[in-house]
Amino acid sequence: MNLYHKIEELLDKYKFEELTLEELFLEADRIGNKYLTYQEREEFNHRLAKEVNEIADSIDKQFPETEVEFIDFGSTTKKNSKKYTYKSYRTVKL
């Protein structure tokens, strides 16, 4: 009986139909973290970061960026109007 009431409370608290997919994943992650120890969470985060870095390296190898872009904040130009002040920065591609 208590389990049924807890499930009903959970369903009343969250209207899952109204949540976005991202919100559902975040909620599932929050609930799942309740059952992990601090060490298990740290180990998972370490493995996840390693996998993400390996994927990023693989993407960089497949799609190398051959141009380097620098933003020169040293020389700004200002255009004054009655209401707004605009700043523009020039970029240099090598």
Side-chain angles (χ1 to χ4, degrees):
M1 261 334 245
N2 286 338
L3 179 60
Y4 175 77
H5 289 295
K6 290 289 184 183
I7 292 172
E8 286 296 318
E9 286 177 26
L10 182 66
L11 291 175
D12 289 338
K13 184 178 176 184
Y14 299 106
K15 298 297 179 194
F16 292 110
E17 297 86 20
E18 298 171 3
L19 295 177
T20 65
L21 185 59
E22 180 182 6
E23 291 169 332
L24 288 171
F25 275 109
L26 290 173
E27 184 63 19
D29 189 46
R30 185 189 66 78
I31 292 170
N33 282 338
K34 287 170 130 180
Y35 301 101
L36 297 175
T37 65
Y38 175 78
Q39 183 179 1
E40 289 171 329
R41 283 192 300 267
E42 287 297 314
E43 182 180 318
F44 173 78
N45 289 336
H46 177 71
R47 285 186 310 195
L48 179 63
K50 184 178 176 184
E51 289 291 326
V52 168
N53 288 333
E54 288 175 5
I55 292 169
D57 290 342
S58 176
I59 290 172
D60 287 342
K61 287 177 185 174
Q62 292 179 12
F63 303 101
E65 189 170 331
T66 57
E67 294 181 352
V68 178
E69 181 176 293
F70 292 96
I71 300 175
D72 182 8
F73 289 103
S75 59
T76 61
T77 59
K78 295 181 182 179
K79 296 179 183 178
N80 293 325
S81 67
K82 292 181 181 179
K83 291 185 179 180
Y84 304 104
T85 301
Y86 297 98
K87 292 183 181 180
S88 65
Y89 302 98
R90 72 188 159 106
T91 60
V92 178
K93 289 195 177 197
L94 301 176

